Amino acid sequence: MPELTRPHQSHFFADLDSTPLGLVDLVDESAAPASLWVEAWHSLRRRPLFWISATLIALVTLVALFPSLFTSLDPGFCELKYSLDPPTAGHPFGFDRQGCDIYSRTIYGARASVTVGVLTTLVVVLIGSVFGAFAGFYGGWFDSLLSRVTDIFFAIPLVLAAIVVMQMYDDVSVMTVTVVLGVFGWPQIARITRGAVMSVKNADFITAAKALGSSRLATLARHVMPNSAAPIIVTATVSLGIFIVAEATLSYLGIGLPTSIVSWGADISKAQASLRSQPSVLFYPAGALALTVLSFIMMGDVVRDALDPKARKR
Amino acid sequence: MAWYIGRRVLQMIPVFLGATLLIYAMVFLLPGDPVAALGGDRGLNPAVAEQIRAEFNLDKPFFVQYLLYLKGILTLDFGTTFSGRAVIDVMGEAFPVTIQLAVMALIFEGVLGIGFGLIAGLRKGGVFDATLLLVSLFVIAMPTFVIGFVMQYVVGVKLQWLPPTVGGDVSFQTLLMPAIVLGAVSFAYVLRLTRTSVAENLSADFVRTATAKGLTRSRVVNVHVLRNSLIPVITFLGADLGGLMAGAIVTEGIFNIPGVGNTLYKAIQQGQAPTVVSLVTVLVIVYIFANLFVDLLYAALDPRIRYA
Amino acid sequence: MSQTLPTAPVVVADSNVHVPLLAIRDLEVSFTTATGLVSAVRGVDLTVYPGQTVAIVGESGSGKSTTAHAIIDLLPGTGKVTAGSIMFDGTEITTATEKEIIALRGRAIGLVPQDPMSNLNPVWKIGYQVKEALKANGIAKGSAANARVTELLEEAGLPDAARRAKQYPHEFSGGMRQRALIAIALAARPKLLIADEPTSALDVTVQRQILDHLQHLTEELGTAVLFITHDLGLAAERAEHLVVMYRGKVVESGPAAQILSAPRHPYTQRLVASAPSLASRRIQSAKALGVTATELLAPTGGDGVSETRPDIVVVDNLTKVFHLRGGRPGAAKTFKAVDDVSFTIKRGTTMALVGESGSGKSTVANIMLNLIDPTEGKINFEGTDLSTLNKKQLFAFRRRVQPIFQDPYGSLDPMYSIYRTIEEPLRTHRVGDRKSRLQKVRDLLDMVSLPQSTMRRFPNELSGGQRQRVAIARALALEPDVIVCDEAVSALDVLVQAQILTLLNDLQAELGLTYLFITHDLAVVRQVADQVCVMKTGKIVESATTDEVFDNPREEYTRELLAAIPGAKLTF
């Protein structure tokens, strides 16, 4: 056997000073307590993208709530003699084909888009997370039924479904668009919630809560839902942007909001005709729309990174 | 595998029935009269309205209507357009164009999205990665029609590199720009998904084991990282076909391409409700079948799914 | 195994046993983090001679795996060698080019990784993954490679290798996967095999078979082995030279027997004293010399008086059948997880339910906790049949039986502060008012030796052992009679494990608790249990007092389990 001729390896041990023994499992009492949310916030506030998107979202929300703070002009006041005029003093973006001030129309257009986005997201999160949570937590026939229903809704793409319904209405309002997008948009959140709930519900702390005598509903509300919130929040934030795009697409197709409501989608649609002579007619409402959507999608992105402990550690 | 295909096809039946019922219910159970809407502001002659009602079976009970509509779908009879042509004939002309456009868009988003996503994922945190990520965010935030307008204006009108509209001349060259526009948003999604998936798989245990075997870096990436990373991307591409269809309506409208999307776009503009329903029904059926195909592809890529 | 193994000609022939195969000097490995460069390994010296087996022993975070990964340049993430040298067979690894490293990997240094479940690519067939190792190292190509793949898998102890090579990883059990991984690592006949906790994810009996097989193979091939493990007993049994690591440093190294019999560094001394496998072996040896077991043990509730204690739990002919949904029509089948199980637990004693994965021991625990209903049979708790409880009685029953789980990371709600976690049972059962509950939480934290300031913290800020203490505090909040410990110490490091076991023993003595202790580890049973039931595929195969089971095991399976405790050949 070769080991018989192997050189002798001596017994070595480090002196205690170089590797002091700590008490096993000592609690570090110096650091401030930090819940997962606090930790997420700490990692969020270091990201420049978070501050950029937060500022943009705040600005867009302010514009949508109080457009008159940003312009004194009435977006409905148009004079044909200014048709497609370049920017002048007091009209920094110039005029569109009808001679309306592009700046004030861009400002007032925010309200429709943001309202549709926010309301639709609320509807979708409300319906989707409740259905998804019950299906994922209780399983059984309700889960099977819900899975089939979401399959069916998934088979009809959002915009196609909206087209079928919206073409029937003549007087479309923000509420109509919200209801239609909400009714066809909830299955996605339901699926995400269901998945999140199912991955949490087998955790030992849920079993521990049951063994304590917590009722099923209390366990769902107190333990399962808070731990499933992260993917719902992220998806909802991103969806908000997607719904704004969907609304604009419907307006572009001429079946969304009517021209009597000032909206970016309708203005972009109208701008197509004037694009070649005056590109800024398209540029401003499209830019405002894209920036709004971008800010929500970016926010969803950074929030996802912050809430995902795996991504944070890397 | 045979069991998997069989089960998957069986699952398609309730989805198909449910989806068609849903579409039908949306149109005919909702408040508002689709026939009255046809007349626009002038209103419709009551006799003509009656005739249309009879033609589209609107005078019968809902479920009878639905069954007749279902029978129509199964016998490929989707009714006629207002100009008197059979919807199926119109589709026959328009579909090849749309399929060509969609395939070009899919190739664009698939090849470039996966390619760039792979590079970004391999160099996560680098300058190239950061730039791609930012560009993809902008593309996602931009509605397809805005991208379409801008491309048409800049590339078609200003630079005159590619024809700004298609019209009757359907060829690879004329469809190139519309295909890029159509695939742009999905390209961004595919890129991001590939990137995340590649970065995740790079730190997977089996990749480390493969490296420890003595494989070269390129072999590790091609054999062990890429194939595993494609699994979620393929799933996304299937679901995304729906987005591609909605996008086709917009894109074909902008570039005046004689495809299904444009036909649908015009039908919407002219308020031809029954035609819109027929066309959407056909698109939904295509979508359901495309997803079946994607699921089979998925099973081919991931052996675990076949036995699930 | 009687056949002689084919060896690649280059490997052993020219090895000079006096020249180290691997020489690590003053190694430092650091990771870049948000707060700067943090060193994970400092000043590590390590030598492996050709054909020698050296073991690195350490707890999680000791830097043992990091050291191993540095040798084949596979440090994860931002890890980097920041100082020192790794000399392997004439090549300086720290300065070698990527090409040189790739040439070494597989061909000169093989790696058997830790977790067999995640280390095979799920989308490729097993045979293909073995063949890759042959092709990459220029060993064989084409049909010759296919034949060699079968040979290698057979050699690694995989039965029916030719057919198995055409299967995917998900069709393999954990043990079979680990054998495939061994075949991959040895495919190119490396001079050094790094085995990183190669069997810690497997059942104990499988673990023993695979390690025996691996040892046999490497001895036959003359392969040097660097064996990474957390189990000192296992290391001493398998390696001739030990390197003990603690917090990124080598605290002690030397011949295995010497370290075991005369540990010099206080950390090693603690480790030798606490390792369950060694402790159990020590009791065994001591008994052989006529010393009574109780002198070597922390006092348990038993102490021979258990005969006179009343039964608190009586389990009668318990059977649980699960219905599994098949992937295809008609494939649905039933699975008997628990098969006619009966036992009794006396008040204030510890009953251990021992078995490998799939033995049904956790199902019994869940029935005991009344979380699932048995298909047949019943459990009597202080004379009351659990299946007859109505909703109100069940709620009252919950106060009296509480669980502690294995995974300290999954058993606490990450959204709840420690205070809320421990207070929840009190609030659910409407015990006391706000003020008295606060006092109770303070008392409970004292009881499990955690500072009171812990209660404002969240689980993510605590270590595994601390979380397990919190879980114990939560279980104690309602002052239960019975605690079901489902693998409660299995996921913990050795020293922490010893502390938690001591804590459980102390609490039993103080509060008169009764434990149902579910575990796969007989070594731990030796330290805590009064009675043992050994379970296999749903049935109880042997049931006796702990001493009887260890001294006179009647069943073959029990003997197998006992033999699987590492350190069987060690003497004290």
Side-chain angles (χ1 to χ4, degrees):
Chain A
M1 291 298 270
E3 62 250 46
L4 295 176
T5 56
R6 220 169 264 147
H8 175 73
Q9 282 176 273
S10 58
H11 187 167
F12 157 87
F13 59 95
D15 55 330
L16 194 54
D17 295 344
S18 70
T19 47
L21 284 187
L23 282 171
V24 181
D25 256 358
L26 190 67
V27 179
D28 177 12
E29 295 186 66
S30 61
S35 70
L36 284 179
W37 295 112
V38 172
E39 274 193 7
W41 165 243
H42 284 306
S43 84
L44 259 187
R45 64 179 188 191
R46 283 203 309 267
R47 298 278 302 268
L49 270 187
F50 167 73
W51 291 110
I52 295 171
S53 48
T55 313
L56 281 174
I57 289 174
L59 183 69
V60 170
T61 314
L62 199 63
V63 169
L65 286 175
F66 311 106
S68 52
L69 285 179
F70 295 85
T71 177
S72 54
L73 288 171
D74 179 359
F77 180 76
C78 311
E79 281 197 55
L80 271 176
K81 65 176 176 182
Y82 294 129
S83 177
L84 296 177
D85 272 6
T88 55
H91 306 281
F93 294 176
F95 298 89
D96 67 10
R97 185 164 286 259
Q98 278 76 42
C100 312
D101 177 61
I102 297 177
Y103 174 71
S104 73
R105 286 195 73 85
T106 306
I107 291 291
Y108 276 88
R111 178 172 286 177
S113 289
V114 172
T115 317
V116 168
V118 170
L119 287 183
T120 311
T121 306
L122 281 180
V123 171
V124 159
V125 167
L126 219 65
I127 305 178
S129 60
V130 169
F131 279 13
F134 280 108
F137 191 65
Y138 289 101
W141 65 268
F142 184 74
D143 186 29
S144 311
L145 180 72
L146 188 90
S147 296
R148 292 291 87 75
V149 171
T150 44
D151 279 350
I152 289 168
F153 273 90
F154 264 93
I156 309 175
L158 179 65
V159 171
L160 285 188
I163 286 172
V164 171
V165 179
M166 300 288 291
Q167 56 151 353
M168 315 262 311
Y169 290 95
D170 275 343
D171 51 339
V172 172
S173 68
V174 167
M175 277 324 277
T176 329
V177 180
T178 301
V179 169
V180 171
L181 289 179
V183 163
F184 290 97
W186 68 266
Q188 196 205 1
I189 293 271
R191 232 179 226 199
I192 298 224
T193 310
R194 176 175 175 269
V197 165
M198 283 178 47
S199 70
V200 174
K201 81 167 179 183
N202 288 324
D204 282 343
F205 64 83
I206 302 297
T207 317
K210 279 188 212 156
L212 285 179
S214 284
S215 71
R216 301 237 278 171
L217 204 60
T219 310
L220 177 62
R222 295 209 191 109
H223 290 286
V224 178
M225 285 320 278
N227 282 289
S228 312
I232 301 176
I233 292 171
V234 170
T235 316
T237 317
V238 174
S239 303
L240 209 158
I242 305 296
F243 289 133
I244 293 180
V245 172
E247 181 276 318
T249 306
L250 291 176
S251 294
Y252 161 77
L253 291 173
I255 50 178
L257 297 173
T259 37
S260 55
I261 301 173
V262 185
S263 77
W264 290 333
D267 278 9
I268 296 168
S269 181
K270 274 190 297 177
Q272 190 181 15
S274 327
L275 182 61
R276 294 179 191 191
S277 39
Q278 180 67 289
S280 64
V281 179
L282 172 72
F283 181 79
Y284 290 109
L289 176 71
L291 216 57
T292 307
V293 176
L294 183 67
S295 58
F296 283 106
I297 293 178
M298 272 193 321
M299 181 59 93
D301 240 31
V302 286
V303 169
R304 172 184 300 129
D305 287 351
L307 289 178
D308 181 8
K310 258 193 304 179
R312 224 183 313 139
K313 268 180 198 148
R314 257 176 229 153
Chain B
M1 189 72 183
W3 280 110
Y4 175 76
I5 297 176
R7 207 179 58 204
R8 195 57 197 75
V9 171
L10 279 179
Q11 274 174 357
M12 216 177 82
I13 295 171
V15 171
F16 167 78
L17 290 177
T20 47
L21 181 65
L22 187 62
I23 294 173
Y24 209 71
M26 278 191 301
V27 179
F28 296 104
L29 283 188
L30 283 172
D33 183 348
V35 177
L38 288 176
D41 298 334
R42 287 176 289 112
L44 209 62
N45 181 334
V48 178
E50 248 353 274
Q51 193 191 334
I52 293 177
R53 270 179 228 282
E55 189 188 333
F56 292 105
N57 300 316
L58 296 183
D59 47 355
K60 301 187 177 71
F62 172 75
F63 264 98
V64 178
Q65 287 180 38
Y66 170 67
L67 288 176
L68 286 168
Y69 158 81
L70 200 62
K71 184 182 155 214
I73 295 172
L74 293 174
T75 55
L76 297 179
D77 173 15
F78 296 96
T80 53
T81 66
F82 280 9
S83 49
R85 297 188 58 200
V87 169
I88 191 77
D89 290 346
V90 177
M91 298 287 272
E93 271 169 37
F95 239 109
V97 180
T98 301
I99 288 177
Q100 196 185 341
L101 180 69
V103 168
M104 283 172 71
L106 261 177
I107 292 174
F108 161 71
E109 66 177 68
V111 173
L112 288 190
I114 291 169
F116 281 135
L118 178 64
I119 299 172
L122 291 175
R123 299 184 190 161
K124 201 176 169 196
V127 180
F128 185 76
D129 176 36
T131 316
L132 273 186
L133 217 52
L134 213 60
V135 169
S136 69
L137 275 178
F138 268 102
V139 172
I140 290 171
M142 208 82 79
T144 305
F145 58 94
V146 173
I147 302 176
F149 289 159
V150 173
M151 288 274 283
Q152 189 179 38
Y153 178 70
V154 176
V155 181
V157 178
K158 280 276 164 178
L159 301 170
Q160 303 202 330
W161 288 349
L162 289 166
T165 54
V166 177
D169 173 27
V170 178
S171 67
F172 175 78
Q173 211 173 354
T174 53
L175 286 184
L176 186 58
M177 184 159 61
I180 292 174
V181 170
L182 179 55
V185 176
S186 309
F187 157 76
Y189 278 117
V190 169
L191 186 154
R192 290 162 62 84
L193 198 58
T194 311
R195 169 187 179 269
T196 319
S197 182
V198 164
E200 212 166 85
N201 276 320
L202 267 183
S203 55
D205 282 349
F206 61 79
V207 168
R208 194 188 54 200
T209 305
T211 313
K213 276 184 214 172
L215 303 184
T216 56
R217 170 106 175 144
S218 63
R219 208 180 144 78
V220 170
V221 170
N222 290 329
V223 176
H224 292 281
V225 176
L226 193 54
R227 176 163 168 183
N228 295 63
S229 306
L230 284 185
I231 293 170
V233 177
I234 293 292
T235 324
F236 169 79
L237 283 178
D240 184 54
L241 281 171
L244 225 52
M245 284 173 188
I249 304 169
V250 172
T251 317
E252 291 185 2
I254 293 171
F255 293 99
N256 192 23
I257 301 167
V260 181
N262 204 9
T263 314
L264 184 53
Y265 179 63
K266 283 184 182 141
I268 296 167
Q269 302 288 317
Q270 294 162 10
Q272 302 181 9
T275 312
V276 171
V277 174
S278 299
L279 287 171
V280 169
T281 306
V282 174
L283 287 181
V284 167
I285 293 169
V286 171
Y287 180 54
I288 292 175
F289 271 98
N291 263 309
L292 174 71
F293 174 72
V294 167
D295 273 5
L296 299 184
L297 194 64
Y298 180 63
L301 269 180
D302 189 347
R304 285 164 297 184
I305 207 84
R306 286 173 232 163
Y307 303 87
Chain C
M1 203 176 266
S2 56
Q3 78 204 74
T4 38
L5 296 157
T7 45
V10 278
V11 179
V12 190
D14 64 351
S15 297
N16 181 340
V17 290
H18 293 283
V19 179
L21 179 65
L22 173 73
I24 298 178
R25 293 291 169 266
D26 211 19
L27 181 71
E28 181 178 288
V29 180
S30 306
F31 288 84
T32 316
T33 65
T35 51
L37 216 58
V38 175
S39 62
V41 164
R42 281 158 298 150
V44 165
D45 286 342
L46 193 157
T47 309
V48 181
Y49 288 96
Q52 189 187 22
T53 299
V54 172
I56 308 184
V57 188
E59 302 178 338
S60 53
S62 63
K64 58 186 194 301
S65 286
T66 307
T67 308
H69 289 144
I71 299 168
I72 30 173
D73 197 21
L74 279 178
L75 289 170
T78 59
K80 249 176 135 164
V81 174
T82 39
S85 111
I86 303 173
M87 195 65 142
F88 176 82
D89 205 19
T91 311
E92 175 57 54
I93 305 267
T94 53
T95 56
T97 62
E98 191 177 346
K99 220 177 149 185
E100 288 172 306
I101 299 275
I102 287 175
L104 283 179
R105 283 183 194 143
R107 184 141 185 73
I109 308 177
L111 172 74
V112 181
Q114 177 167 15
D115 179 7
M117 298 327 244
S118 63
N119 272 291
L120 287 163
N121 190 332
V123 308
W124 295 109
K125 289 177 179 163
I126 298 287
Y128 179 86
Q129 298 190 49
V130 180
K131 194 159 90 178
E132 244 188 343
L134 293 172
K135 286 204 314 208
N137 295 298
I139 306 291
K141 269 188 204 154
S143 58
N146 287 332
R148 188 82 186 104
V149 164
T150 312
E151 280 171 33
L152 282 167
L153 287 172
E154 260 167 16
E155 177 192 295
L158 195 70
D160 201 5
R163 186 176 64 84
R164 289 290 183 185
K166 296 194 190 88
Q167 289 185 322
Y168 288 98
H170 69 265
E171 299 168 75
F172 273 43
S173 70
M176 283 155 70
R177 289 186 208 203
Q178 197 55 279
R179 289 180 190 275
L181 284 163
I182 289 172
I184 290 172
L186 290 175
R189 299 297 183 230
K191 292 180 186 176
L192 174 68
L193 187 73
I194 299 175
D196 185 2
E197 301 256 17
T199 53
S200 57
L202 303 174
D203 272 335
V204 282
T205 49
V206 181
Q207 189 170 9
R208 180 164 191 88
Q209 284 166 14
I210 289 187
L211 285 178
D212 281 348
H213 195 86
L214 184 66
Q215 190 174 358
H216 173 78
L217 270 178
T218 50
E219 272 169 12
E220 197 105 328
L221 295 169
T223 314
V225 179
L226 184 62
F227 186 64
I228 320 273
T229 179
H230 65 278
D231 189 332
L232 188 58
L234 192 64
E237 185 177 70
R238 301 284 168 181
E240 54 193 270
H241 188 79
L242 299 188
V243 176
V244 182
M245 287 187 73
Y246 173 64
R247 295 197 178 168
K249 289 195 159 190
V250 174
V251 292
E252 188 156 357
S253 70
Q258 217 169 330
I259 288 199
L260 225 50
S261 55
R264 302 290 292 274
H265 194 274
Y267 175 75
T268 324
Q269 287 164 356
R270 272 195 208 174
L271 214 53
V272 170
S274 313
S277 54
L278 296 177
S280 128
R281 193 59 59 192
R282 210 162 20 240
I283 294 167
Q284 212 66 6
S285 316
K287 279 179 76 86
L289 297 172
V291 186
T292 49
T294 39
E295 288 171 32
L296 296 139
L297 286 170
T300 64
D303 296 343
V305 284
S306 51
E307 298 308 315
T308 59
R309 291 166 188 254
D311 290 345
I312 186 164
V313 175
V314 179
V315 177
D316 252 349
N317 305 95
L318 209 59
T319 298
K320 177 70 191 178
V321 177
F322 287 109
H323 296 271
L324 304 175
R325 249 183 71 196
R328 55 193 64 178
K333 49 186 172 191
T334 56
F335 166 67
K336 217 176 227 183
V338 177
D339 190 357
D340 197 19
V341 162
S342 306
F343 60 85
T344 56
I345 311 177
K346 291 186 187 305
R347 183 180 274 282
T349 67
T350 301
M351 159 66 88
L353 217 50
V354 188
E356 297 183 288
S357 54
S359 63
K361 56 189 193 300
S362 287
T363 309
V364 174
N366 284 334
I367 299 174
M368 178 72 230
L369 287 165
N370 218 333
L371 293 171
I372 52 176
D373 294 323
T375 315
E376 275 170 55
K378 59 182 184 210
I379 293 183
N380 272 306
F381 181 77
E382 290 210 311
T384 316
D385 181 354
L386 288 191
S387 59
T388 62
L389 297 182
N390 63 25
K391 217 174 160 182
K392 213 174 143 196
Q393 289 167 320
L394 180 61
F395 188 67
F397 164 78
R398 299 264 183 237
R399 292 185 68 153
R400 312 195 49 193
V401 180
Q402 280 291 301
I404 306 170
F405 298 102
Q406 170 176 18
D407 177 13
Y409 293 86
S411 61
L412 304 181
D413 187 335
M415 297 290 167
Y416 273 39
S417 71
I418 301 308
Y419 171 73
R420 260 186 94 188
T421 300
I422 301 178
E423 188 232 24
E424 191 191 12
L426 301 172
R427 201 155 23 98
T428 308
H429 286 268
R430 302 184 208 291
V431 178
D433 55 9
R434 266 181 95 82
K435 227 174 138 187
S436 71
R437 288 203 291 256
L438 180 67
Q439 190 50 48
K440 179 86 185 169
V441 171
R442 284 180 200 279
D443 294 346
L444 284 164
L445 283 171
D446 276 347
M447 212 179 266
V448 297
S449 314
L450 282 173
Q452 296 193 350
S453 66
T454 316
M455 68 187 187
R456 284 181 297 119
R457 298 188 178 275
F458 287 83
N460 54 316
E461 302 170 84
L462 302 182
S463 71
Q466 291 161 1
R467 289 173 196 221
Q468 209 60 307
R469 285 171 191 270
V470 174
I472 293 172
R474 173 179 58 190
L476 291 177
L478 293 170
E479 296 167 9
D481 300 300
V482 175
I483 293 189
V484 177
C485 305
D486 191 352
E487 299 275 12
V489 296
S490 307
L492 303 175
D493 277 329
V494 175
L495 295 187
V496 181
Q497 193 177 46
Q499 284 189 342
I500 299 289
L501 286 175
T502 311
L503 175 66
L504 287 173
N505 269 334
D506 292 349
L507 289 171
Q508 183 169 50
E510 203 177 313
L511 307 171
L513 292 169
T514 307
Y515 293 139
L516 176 61
F517 203 90
I518 314 282
T519 184
H520 69 278
D521 190 351
L522 262 178
V524 171
V525 168
R526 188 57 158 154
Q527 292 170 286
V528 294
D530 302 300
Q531 294 274 326
V532 182
C533 286
V534 180
M535 283 188 79
K536 190 188 180 190
T537 55
K539 287 196 172 79
I540 290 185
V541 295
E542 181 155 2
S543 173
T545 65
T546 310
D547 283 344
E548 267 172 48
V549 165
F550 275 78
D551 297 341
N552 308 305
R554 286 191 305 274
E555 294 296 319
E556 178 57 35
Y557 182 67
T558 314
R559 279 195 282 273
E560 233 175 273
L561 282 180
L562 283 170
I565 300 176
K569 296 170 198 149
L570 302 173
T571 46
F572 289 87

